Amino acid sequence: MSLPPTYVEGFHDKKSVLQMEYTTLGKTGLKVSKLAFGAAPLGGAATYGEYLEEEAINTVREAIRKGINYIDTAPVYGQGRAEELLGKALAGVPREAYYISSKVSRYERLGSKELVKSEESIFSGFEQTLKNLGLDYVDIVIVHNVEYSPMEVVLNMFIPALAKLIKQNKARHLGLSAYPISPMCEIIEKSAIPIEVIISYSRDVIFDSSLQEYIPFFQSRGIGIINAAITGMGILTLEGPPAWHPATTELIAICKKAAEYAKEKGVELGNLSVGYSLQQPGAQTHLVGMNDRKILQKNLNTLKGLSEEEKNILREIKQIFFNSGQNFHWEEVKGKQEKYRKYLENVKTS
């Protein structure tokens, strides 16, 4: 086993880094850890609940020290709060020790919450992102939730603007994120500017394997694949999803029963979910939201693989609760995506 380019002697726990699996993210050349750090839980009460700031800062630093070298965030997470917290945490970390992505979307978050209407608003918003993070550049800049913008706006405004950020050395690689996967494929085919990375979320989990259908498409184009929200944005946990979660009441109820079943068997559905997704082929890295070291350590332990008992319980859960022969998702559920859209548009720092 070899050390990744992000290894920094004297900072990293070398033993942990050697135990981490790293894979090159498409054609970017970035050698990313199999387990990645999702910063959405750093957004505060409006996203996934409150947290202890000092503990969260220590969690970020400990994650990197133990070999997690990719972090993803977005300005919509707590209206910049997640980025600001990361900025505090990363101030004590060598810049070469990690890769980081943040996003640009149609949602302005500089106070007015107006829709992004121009390149200038994209650039000013991104400058605030860099200021929040305390960085000169991010490794990947991503068009966030492309399904909420008209295709022509993504192609003719967002992507060219992000390409300019890359030319200005404020970002290095360009990506897309979305819940429905097909719009990303269409944008990739139509864009005159190459897309290097995609983030797909809640689409390669216990109840939905939709991402697997698209992996050959992305691989054929050398696009890096990031699998995010592998607990389904909290729906596959005993605590359950946040109030804004766009899933149907039926799916939420099924997942709650599955979580209770897992608890009766002496395991956590969240751990099973993370373990399941980590073993699926195709994606180079898997984003898991974290804001304390207990969660971090659980995920690092799960990275080593599920026990035979856990695998058996996971098979039982899939058979009992998700064996309908179809994928469960909320892509075309009337009203549910609007609920999530309003959350994105109105979220406030608590």
Side-chain angles (χ1 to χ4, degrees), residues 95-127:
R95 180 61 181 92
E96 63 270 30
Y98 61 89
Y99 306 121
I100 189 168
S101 60
S102 193
K103 308 180 184 81
V104 173
S105 73
R106 68 191 293 264
Y107 299 100
E108 185 62 82
R109 54 90 177 88
L110 298 178
S112 65
K113 294 189 285 294
E114 295 177 355
L115 297 182
V116 170
K117 297 178 181 179
S118 66
E119 276 195 348
E120 287 72 23
S121 60
I122 292 173
F123 296 149
S124 62
F126 190 73
E127 286 299 326

Side-chain angles (χ1 to χ4, degrees), residues 5-276:
T6 49
Y7 177 76
V8 177
E9 187 69 39
F11 171 79
H12 280 102
D13 177 348
K14 187 173 183 179
K15 181 179 179 180
S16 297
V17 174
L18 287 170
Q19 292 174 343
M20 180 66 70
E21 181 179 336
Y22 298 90
T23 307
T24 302
L25 185 63
K27 292 182 179 179
T28 66
L30 305 179
K31 197 170 183 180
V32 293
S33 52
K34 186 173 184 177
L35 178 65
F37 193 103
L42 304 181
T47 49
Y48 289 96
E50 275 302 340
Y51 59 86
L52 299 174
E53 182 171 303
E54 184 178 357
E55 175 63 22
I57 288 172
N58 288 332
T59 302
V60 174
R61 293 174 179 171
E62 183 73 359
I64 301 172
R65 196 177 70 84
K66 289 195 171 182
I68 292 176
N69 72 349
Y70 171 50
I71 303 165
D72 174 71
T73 188
V76 75
Y77 302 154
Q79 287 201 316
R81 184 177 176 188
E83 291 179 333
E84 290 170 357
L85 187 285
L86 284 173
K88 294 177 182 179
L90 296 175
V93 179
R95 180 61 181 92
E96 63 270 30
Y98 61 89
Y99 306 121
I100 189 168
S101 60
S102 193
K103 308 180 184 81
V104 173
S105 73
R106 68 191 293 264
Y107 299 100
E108 185 62 82
R109 54 90 177 88
L110 298 178
S112 65
K113 294 189 285 294
E114 295 177 355
L115 297 182
V116 170
K117 297 178 181 179
S118 66
E119 276 195 348
E120 287 72 23
S121 60
I122 292 173
F123 296 149
S124 62
F126 190 73
E127 286 299 326
Q128 185 64 46
T129 282
L130 292 179
K131 181 180 179 181
N132 288 343
L133 293 171
L135 300 176
D136 297 324
Y137 71 94
V138 298
D139 297 278
I140 309 170
V141 62
I142 294 164
V143 185
H144 199 181
N145 293 314
V146 298
E147 69 269 36
Y148 295 140
S149 294
M151 182 77 63
E152 61 270 19
V153 173
V154 175
L155 290 169
N156 299 324
M157 185 173 75
F158 279 106
I159 292 176
L162 301 196
K164 289 181 181 178
L165 292 174
I166 291 171
K167 287 184 179 179
Q168 294 168 3
N169 295 317
K170 295 179 180 179
R172 292 183 172 178
H173 304 283
L174 194 157
L176 308 172
S177 80
Y179 180 65
I181 304 172
S182 56
M184 292 192 287
C185 297
E186 186 175 355
I187 291 168
I188 288 165
E189 290 188 316
K190 291 182 176 180
S191 178
I193 298 169
I195 305 300
E196 299 173 89
V197 175
I198 65 99
I199 295 182
S200 172
Y201 62 95
S202 299
R203 300 312 290 257
D204 202 3
V205 294
I206 294 173
F207 55 74
D208 187 355
S209 61
S210 299
L211 178 59
Q212 291 296 320
E213 302 169 21
Y214 294 88
I215 282 174
F217 172 87
F218 296 128
Q219 288 179 333
S220 70
R221 288 155 176 78
I223 292 172
I225 304 169
I226 299 167
N227 183 28
I230 58 180
T231 64
M233 299 193 295
I235 195 172
L236 288 167
T237 65
L238 187 62
E239 294 80 6
W244 51 260
H245 202 288
T248 63
T249 54
E250 291 80 7
L251 180 55
I252 290 173
I254 292 171
C255 291
K256 182 179 180 180
K257 290 179 180 179
E260 291 170 348
Y261 181 90
K263 182 181 180 181
E264 290 172 1
K265 295 289 185 175
V267 298
E268 295 182 17
L269 183 60
N271 288 351
L272 298 182
S273 180
V274 171
Y276 171 83

Side-chain angles (χ1 to χ4, degrees), residues 321-337:
F321 300 100
F322 306 113
N323 192 34
S324 66
Q326 65 181 19
N327 289 317
F328 294 79
H329 60 78
W330 50 88
E331 183 173 332
E332 298 174 356
V333 181
K334 186 177 181 180
K336 291 295 179 176
Q337 282 299 303

